[in-house]
Amino acid sequence: MRQVVGKPSRERRGRARRAIGLTGIAALLPILLAGCSLDDAFYLGWPRTRPTTQSEQMFDLWVGSTIAALVVGVIVWGLTFWCIAAYKKKDSDTELPRQTKYNLPAELTFTALPFVLIGILFYYTVIVQDNVTEMSDQPTACTEVTAFKWNWQFTYTDENCEPLTGADGEPVTETGDSDYIPIIVVPNQDDVRFVGNAEDVIHSFWVPDLLFKRDLIPGSDAQTTRWEVDFNSEGTFVGRCAELCGAYHAFMNFEMRVVSPEDYETFVNARVEGMSTPEALELIGQDAYATTTHPFNTDPATGEAS
């Protein structure tokens, strides 16, 4: 075969393209990796703080599932690139390579392995799901959660989930509005129960650090939803509505304060005696107002984005 003088061969052009591609990848990798640390990469975007036993279990499940998926991906990618390199057509090849089909051991292996992986993932998913949805016979604390357009109301109750009555003869509640972020205070204990309802449309109670949300559906008592969590650390955590519930859905923020059992009892007693939430929070050494989020500016005349 005659080769035109000055025209690079196909092999040299292929090497040049590969060299350019590898150089580009090498140049981009430092830029891409500079934005995250090894810890950030390991957490895969999940919150660092997991204040409940259930959130730790869900985190382990999702990280384990992701690692398993990456292992499968690496094996598939490795086999793919190995086949590309090992069986690449050479310039000297003049015939088709040997064709193989009906490889029974390989077909059985690649059929059985996915079922084994699915079975393992299903097993651990059921275990975690049962732990997350488990309810105790008697909670250590209970709070009613009522969602409405577009904010939250928290009603403090006794262990039997019966509303506590304040000095004014009314239930002890905490209600948010457009100028005030409501704060729900819970004890750092096991079996802390929430009883959720919605007044108008479907809302969703979501504390991102708990790795958990629960839809609140309006209707009869049959639509009331209950769940429990086991807290293992104190802290302050932002809460959101995770259901697009209308025009001011983004305004539905709240804050969860997890305090010691002693501080929780002091706080609730202060509320029963007539103190406001900010006053009762200051009594137990907490910030009087929300620190993780703030009210949106709803005045259109300010010219500032909310």
Side-chain angles (χ1 to χ4, degrees):
M1 178 182 294
R2 187 180 65 177
Q3 182 173 349
V4 178
V5 178
K7 184 176 181 181
S9 67
R10 181 184 302 173
E11 185 176 352
R12 287 203 297 269
R13 291 199 303 271
R15 286 201 297 266
R17 284 196 294 267
R18 286 195 294 271
I20 293 172
L22 290 174
T23 302
I25 293 173
L28 287 174
L29 274 178
I31 299 175
L32 295 175
L33 297 178
C36 59
S37 65
L38 182 60
D39 287 342
D40 292 331
F42 176 76
Y43 278 91
L44 304 173
W46 291 95
R48 294 291 190 94
T49 305
R50 296 179 297 281
T52 66
T53 302
Q54 290 83 354
S55 61
E56 290 182 346
Q57 293 172 346
M58 287 184 283
F59 177 83
D60 292 340
L61 174 65
W62 280 105
V63 170
S65 301
T66 303
I67 292 174
L70 288 173
V71 170
V72 172
V74 168
I75 293 173
V76 172
W77 297 331
L79 289 173
T80 300
F81 291 120
W82 176 75
C83 291
I84 292 173
Y87 300 106
K88 178 184 176 183
K89 185 178 182 298
K90 301 179 178 62
D91 292 338
S92 59
D93 293 338
T94 57
E95 297 180 358
L96 288 174
R98 178 173 175 268
Q99 304 297 297
T100 58
K101 57 183 178 179
Y102 305 120
N103 189 320
L104 188 59
E107 291 175 4
L108 289 175
T109 300
F110 294 137
T111 300
L113 276 179
F115 281 99
V116 173
L117 293 174
I118 292 171
I120 294 173
L121 289 174
F122 180 78
Y123 171 76
Y124 285 107
T125 299
V126 170
I127 290 178
V128 173
Q129 179 177 286
D130 288 345
N131 290 339
V132 169
T133 58
E134 183 180 7
M135 298 282 289
S136 64
D137 295 330
Q138 184 67 43
T140 56
C142 184
T143 306
E144 290 184 6
V145 178
T146 304
F148 59 91
K149 295 192 296 187
W150 279 276
N151 223 298
W152 303 88
Q153 182 178 79
F154 306 116
T155 302
Y156 292 97
T157 67
D158 57 22
E159 291 83 355
N160 297 317
C161 294
E162 295 296 330
L164 296 172
T165 303
D168 57 359
E170 298 294 328
V172 178
T173 61
E174 164 79 341
T175 307
D177 58 40
S178 58
D179 298 320
Y180 175 71
I181 300 294
I183 298 175
I184 177 174
V185 179
V186 294
N188 182 23
Q189 291 179 295
D190 291 343
D191 303 327
V192 177
R193 180 174 297 181
F194 300 89
V195 180
N197 292 281
E199 287 189 354
D200 31 50
V201 298
I202 297 176
H203 301 277
S204 189
F205 180 92
W206 180 42
V207 179
D209 288 271
L210 269 59
L211 304 185
F212 177 88
K213 74 180 183 71
R214 181 58 64 89
D215 287 347
L216 309 180
I217 303 173
S220 63
D221 291 341
Q223 300 295 343
T224 298
T225 181
R226 296 171 176 82
W227 68 95
E228 290 183 5
V229 293
D230 303 324
F231 287 102
N232 54 34
S233 62
E234 300 175 18
T236 301
F237 310 99
V238 68
R240 312 285 191 192
C241 174
E243 184 75 23
L244 183 56
C245 54
Y248 296 100
H249 157 73
F251 288 25
M252 290 190 63
N253 300 327
F254 65 93
E255 187 168 276
M256 174 176 285
R257 300 277 181 89
V258 185
V259 301
S260 67
E262 297 75 20
D263 283 347
Y264 176 76
E265 185 176 358
T266 301
F267 171 84
V268 171
N269 289 336
R271 290 299 320 275
V272 169
E273 292 170 2
M275 281 190 181
S276 65
T277 293
E279 292 171 339
L281 285 171
E282 289 183 331
L283 180 65
I284 60 174
Q286 292 276 331
D287 290 321
Y289 297 96
T291 59
T292 59
T293 185
H294 57 83
F296 287 99
N297 185 356
T298 57
D299 183 5
T302 62
E304 297 178 359
S306 60

